[in-house]
Amino acid sequence: MDITPQASLAAPSSLAAPSSLAAPPSAAAEPHAPASGPAAPLRLALVVGSNREGRFAPVVADWFLVRAGAREDFTVDVVDLAEVDLPTALSGSPRPAVRAELAKVSPRLAAADAFVVLTPEYNHSFPAALKALIDWHYTEWQAKPVGFLSYGGVSGGLRAVEQLRQVFAEMHAVTVRDTVSFRNAGEQFDSEGRHRDPAAPEAAVKTMLDQLAWWGSALREAKALRPYGG
């Protein structure tokens, strides 16, 4: 189920971005902690794909973290691209400053069993910072499921999501069908970050997380029996 509620891409003053995107204590993950077995919670990385000044992303991210954090089948780690400065010029031998930035994110992506990518839509596509994060990595994405949480104007960010599906297919990732998208999101949330009409997005996020849980568990178990050969 798609909820197509993206707002203007700068958060209005009444919807000031929270000071931190850290997951609530019940959802916080140790990104390097190994799973203890097939029944262990899946390590879910929320990738916040916007680093734009005045971004609306923290409002949507905080809404999602409450829902994901209430589940027992996930632990959540937040990879916020506003806290990472990766260049768009790729290199097989990155200089020390770039290695330091990669060290902030690469081990966390590698440790994740599944991803939710939060993206706005800029000019019918997704942000350059998100493409840079994807392109600086490869095996970290392989044989893992990816869900999408988007916001935008009339499209709710779905044009960005459809492009990301093609990119992640090249990375050997599995994108789940159902997304959660917010059309004109500034109108959908109140000044406290609460959704004004939560029934449909609550149902949509449950469906997406259920699909991620199935694929995440299935792929984790498969890789424990046989390493992925992509």
Side-chain angles (χ1 to χ4, degrees), residues 29-36 43 111:
E30 289 292 340
H32 309 298
S36 59
R43 293 165 297 194

Side-chain angles (χ1 to χ4, degrees), residues 180-193:
V180 183
S181 65
F182 296 99
R183 182 179 46 145
N184 299 324
E187 300 172 7
Q188 303 294 325
F189 292 85
D190 66 18
S191 60
E192 300 299 320

Side-chain angles (χ1 to χ4, degrees), residues 3 33 40 48-49 52 56 67 84 89 120-121 124 128 137 145 167 171 201-202 205 212 218 224-225:
I3 305 304
V48 181
R52 186 170 180 168
F56 192 78
R67 278 81 196 160
V84 185
E121 183 177 310
H124 286 212
H137 299 90
V167 174
M171 297 295 171
E202 294 276 359
V205 77
L212 280 173
L225 295 174

